Amino acid sequence: MTSLFGIPIETVSTSLLIITSIIIVLVVILALLNAIFFKIGVRNIPRRRMQMVLIVCALMLSTTLLSSVLTTGDVLTTTAQTVAVFNWGNVDELIEGGSGTLGLYSERIYRDVRDSARDDPDIISVGAGLRVQDLLIADQSSRQVRSKVTALGIVPGSELGFGGMLDQTTSRQRTISELSKNQVYLNETTAQFLNAHTGDKLYLYSEHWPGERFQVYVAGVVSNDGLVGDNPFILMDVETLRGFEDINSALINQIYVHNRVGVEPGGSSVSDAVTVRLGQVLPHQVHVIQVKQEGLKNTQKAEDIFSRIFALFTLFSLAIGLLLILLIFVLLAAERRVEMGMARAIGVQRRHVILMFLFEGAVYDVLASFVGLLLGVGGGAALIWFLRPIMERFDFPLKFSAQPRSFIIAYCLGVIFTFCSVVLSSWLVSRMNVIEALRDLPEPIQNASLRESFQRLWLVLKGLFRPPAPREDVHKQAGEHSSPLVSRWRQARRAMLEIVPETITGTGVFLAEAGILPLLAGWWLFALGLREGKVLPFSLGFSLLVVGAGLMLKALTEHLFYRFNLWVRGHDNRTRARRVSSGLFAALSGALLLAYWALPFDILAALGFRRFQGG
């Protein structure tokens, strides 16, 4: 693969490697500075080996899927490039142009190119022929018909410098000069499609000679090399094909050039130089095409399709990994809840609990990503081994080819994503009530309002920027070993690790529950779908608009119902208000979403919207 998420693969691999190195160095530094908590965090790994194996197997799933996706992408990309190059056989440059529907020009141009190429050290041989595409061939002997076959009339002798034509039956070299007027060669691909053999009678049909057909006989089946590749070809003398096309003069429409070095590493400069030199001897009505390099450029379209599909699978694998990691660490926290409560009761701070889970998760992360990488690459190789014989029947040979950059991306992305998930889950599980944890009771629901969270943040920030108190006052309040700098550092650390994340989380939850975030995201996707004419962002945006409007209506209904109970009945009944508003939200939003997704998309055009594309 050459890109992932639209970013060049080299940039992605380098960036991920740097981020992974920073994460590993950061964890090592934290472990050195907090050696006791590192030992406490990792002590459970060797104690419970079966649990360790289960956790590693769960955490490695995202890395396994990711490495399998990248390995498969490398194989398909390499195969597409190989097929694109091999389809042109030994031809590196093609000279076309001329006039008419076939692009005809004089055979004299071929002789001029051949004469000039004798003094060119980079050109091995030059050939010429008349090429007619889209023939229909009927084999009277096998009763098989094949369309989209290319007829190639070769100037006798010009095929020899391209490797000749190896007869698949007798294993000897065949030449065009051996053919009589109504004899042809078939390449392997055409012979397989028609189930043709030497001596079969063929009928040729083309739109170039409407109402007519020509009868020829198979003189042999030749290999897919030389002037032809894997595409279906029928080969004959150029005079025979000129007779079919009713051409009475020495005209051709293609000249083939074979370089000493193709488009392998170092071959691009040779092809460019040959193209420049050929352009100096050619008349203006013809031009040079670097067919193999053009084929490689065309594979970029296939790579773009592959990269989009693989990026989608990557997102799915990362989402699965996130859910598994959060679930695993929540279960680990529930199992050790009493232990963490006792640690908090004897003076362990919340950040120490986060560090213990972080160290344990980091060890699991490194092990799981490595095991997942090995299993993913092995699974991709097994898949290629299983599909190779099937795809070879369709002339699409699969060859295992994995780039080292893909291994780096799979491992680093697995480490980074798992580490971020571990940090998030560690912060979540560290939020506990010490008394409830010691008693192993369920955690009480915290109903702190958004206003209270911002008030706490404001008080902490105001304390940070308040002028320092006199030193004697500090000693009286905090003890002889305290200082204003240490006190401010503790306040800043508490704000960064506890109050700021809780405030941001509370704000996000409030905006989501109020329907503001879904409305903003939905409107952006809705406008994007209308502007780009794509139905997927339009439909997602409409769905988010429905959900956002429903959440906003739910919040408004809950508030009005609460105020009504408080005013009429004189007591607070939030539970009933929440139940009524939730039922109303589910009914209205569900009905609208069901109605939209159940209707055919053609109805959007009937309602005045533009006709959308499929993606």
Side-chain angles (χ1 to χ4, degrees):
M1 294 177 63
T2 58
S3 64
L4 184 66
F5 302 110
I7 306 174
I9 204 75
E10 294 83 2
T11 305
V12 175
S13 60
T14 304
S15 302
L16 292 179
L17 190 59
I18 293 174
I19 297 173
T20 304
S21 302
I22 293 174
I23 290 175
I24 294 176
V25 171
L26 179 62
V27 172
V28 171
I29 293 175
L30 289 175
L32 294 176
L33 296 177
N34 303 271
I36 295 178
F37 295 105
F38 174 77
K39 294 178 181 179
I40 295 175
V42 301
R43 65 176 179 172
N44 292 309
I45 296 177
R47 286 182 178 180
R48 303 171 182 179
R49 298 181 180 178
M50 193 62 192
Q51 184 185 64
M52 179 193 70
V53 173
L54 292 176
I55 292 175
V56 169
C57 291
L59 295 182
M60 75 179 185
L61 181 58
S62 60
T63 308
T64 302
L65 295 176
L66 183 59
S67 56
S68 299
V69 165
L70 294 177
T71 301
T72 307
D74 290 339
V75 171
L76 292 179
T77 299
T78 304
T79 303
Q81 293 176 349
T82 302
V83 171
V85 172
F86 191 73
N87 279 341
W88 282 100
N90 292 326
V91 178
D92 295 300
E93 287 86 30
L94 183 67
I95 299 176
E96 288 185 337
S99 60
T101 57
L102 293 177
L104 299 174
Y105 51 88
S106 174
E107 190 176 330
R108 177 183 53 82
I109 298 177
Y110 156 66
R111 292 192 292 269
D112 295 339
V113 172
R114 183 188 59 188
D115 294 339
S116 65
R118 291 172 180 168
D119 301 326
D120 195 321
D122 293 327
I123 298 179
I124 295 178
S125 58
V126 178
L130 179 63
R131 182 187 183 111
V132 179
Q133 295 180 328
D134 298 333
L135 265 67
L136 176 69
I137 300 181
D139 190 325
Q140 188 180 31
S141 303
S142 63
R143 302 295 181 181
Q144 299 293 322
V145 178
R146 179 67 185 181
S147 61
K148 302 294 182 181
V149 179
T150 300
L152 182 59
I154 303 174
V155 175
S158 66
E159 78 279 3
L160 299 178
F162 293 84
M165 296 175 290
L166 182 65
D167 194 306
Q168 297 301 292
T169 304
T170 62
S171 298
R172 70 181 184 89
Q173 290 290 338
R174 307 296 296 267
T175 61
I176 292 296
S177 58
E178 298 177 20
L179 297 175
S180 61
K181 183 177 181 180
N182 291 324
Q183 286 185 326
V184 297
Y185 295 133
L186 302 180
N187 69 335
E188 288 183 82
T189 304
T190 309
Q192 290 176 1
F193 285 144
L194 293 174
N195 192 22
H197 301 85
T198 303
D200 284 4
K201 181 191 296 185
L202 306 179
Y203 289 104
L204 309 183
Y205 302 86
S206 174
E207 60 181 6
H208 294 283
W209 51 78
E212 294 185 70
R213 70 175 184 181
F214 294 97
Q215 176 180 307
V216 295
Y217 294 90
V218 178
V221 177
V222 298
S223 57
N224 290 338
D225 51 19
L227 289 174
V228 298
D230 281 340
N231 293 325
F233 271 88
I234 180 172
L235 308 174
M236 63 189 73
D237 193 306
V238 66
E239 293 296 338
T240 302
L241 191 54
R242 286 171 183 166
F244 295 161
E245 291 288 341
D246 197 19
I247 299 175
N248 298 321
S249 55
L251 298 177
I252 55 176
N253 61 2
Q254 286 188 340
I255 298 175
Y256 311 101
V257 180
H258 179 28
N259 299 340
R260 294 191 182 277
V261 182
V263 290
E264 300 297 326
S268 298
S269 59
V270 173
S271 183
D272 293 337
V274 169
T275 301
V276 172
R277 290 195 292 269
L278 289 176
Q280 296 174 355
V281 299
L282 292 175
H284 67 278
Q285 70 265 29
V286 295
H287 56 275
V288 183
I289 304 174
Q290 298 176 348
V291 289
K292 289 187 177 178
Q293 292 190 11
E294 290 295 328
L296 292 178
K297 291 179 181 179
N298 291 332
T299 60
Q300 297 294 328
K301 299 178 181 178
E303 291 181 25
D304 182 57
I305 297 175
F306 292 154
S307 63
R308 292 185 181 185
I309 297 174
F310 297 146
L312 181 62
F313 278 107
T314 302
L315 293 177
F316 277 127
S317 61
L318 294 179
I320 292 172
L322 173 62
L323 294 176
L324 281 175
I325 294 166
L326 291 177
L327 178 61
I328 287 171
F329 275 84
V330 167
L331 292 177
L332 285 177
E335 179 186 0
R336 305 172 189 172
R337 195 156 176 269
V338 176
E339 177 185 344
M340 290 190 299
M342 294 178 63
R344 290 295 305 274
I346 63 176
V348 174
Q349 301 297 318
R350 181 182 174 188
R351 66 184 182 89
H352 298 147
V353 176
I354 295 176
L355 286 176
M356 287 189 292
F357 274 101
L358 180 62
F359 292 142
E360 183 179 3
V363 175
Y364 284 134
D365 182 11
V366 175
L367 292 176
S369 297
F370 182 73
V371 176
L373 175 64
L374 295 180
L375 290 180
V377 174
L383 180 63
I384 299 304
W385 177 81
F386 176 76
L387 293 177
R388 179 183 298 169
I390 300 176
M391 301 304 295
E392 284 179 350
R393 300 177 183 176
F394 302 95
D395 294 319
F396 196 78
L398 293 178
K399 181 181 180 181
F400 182 77
S401 174
Q403 302 177 6
R405 291 191 299 264
S406 299
F407 298 155
I408 295 174
I409 291 174
Y411 183 77
C412 293
L413 196 56
V415 169
I416 294 170
F417 194 82
T418 305
F419 180 79
C420 294
S421 304
V422 166
V423 171
L424 176 62
S425 58
S426 301
W427 179 78
L428 290 175
V429 300
S430 66
R431 304 175 63 187
M432 68 177 68
N433 185 294
V434 178
I435 304 300
E436 302 296 337
L438 285 172
R439 296 176 178 177
D440 199 15
L441 296 176
E443 195 72 21
I445 301 176
Q446 300 179 2
N447 292 321
S449 64
L450 187 62
R451 183 176 60 183
E452 294 174 355
S453 300
F454 276 104
Q455 286 177 350
R456 291 177 59 196
L457 180 61
W458 169 249
L459 291 176
V460 173
L461 293 178
K462 187 169 65 173
L464 286 175
F465 295 100
R466 186 172 55 195
R471 188 171 184 82
E472 57 271 12
D473 295 340
V474 174
H475 286 185
K476 292 178 182 179
Q477 296 175 8
E480 288 297 327
H481 299 287
S482 300
S483 66
L485 184 60
V486 173
S487 177
R488 289 182 183 276
W489 163 247
R490 289 174 178 174
Q491 290 180 352
R493 185 176 60 193
R494 181 168 175 263
M496 291 173 57
L497 297 179
E498 296 183 22
I499 299 178
V500 172
E502 289 179 358
T503 303
I504 294 175
T505 304
T507 304
V509 171
F510 172 78
L511 294 177
E513 290 181 348
I516 298 176
L517 287 182
L519 282 176
L520 293 176
W523 178 254
W524 178 74
L525 289 173
F526 187 83
L528 178 64
L530 286 178
R531 184 173 63 253
E532 301 291 337
K534 296 184 178 181
V535 70
L536 182 59
F538 177 85
S539 299
L540 292 178
F542 180 82
S543 301
L544 287 176
L545 286 176
V546 171
V547 172
L551 288 173
M552 187 171 289
L553 179 63
K554 172 181 175 294
L556 181 61
T557 305
E558 182 178 339
H559 181 73
L560 293 177
F561 197 83
Y562 162 73
R563 290 295 181 183
F564 176 78
N565 282 335
L566 194 62
W567 177 57
V568 174
R569 302 179 181 179
H571 62 87
D572 182 4
N573 193 355
R574 291 182 179 273
T575 303
R576 186 179 179 186
R578 189 175 294 110
R579 184 169 62 249
V580 172
S581 60
S582 299
L584 182 64
F585 161 72
L588 294 179
S589 301
L592 286 175
L593 291 176
L594 180 62
Y596 175 77
W597 288 98
L599 292 175
F601 287 113
D602 291 341
I603 200 172
L604 295 176
L607 294 176
F609 292 97
R610 60 184 295 183
R611 185 168 295 277
F612 292 99
Q613 300 176 7

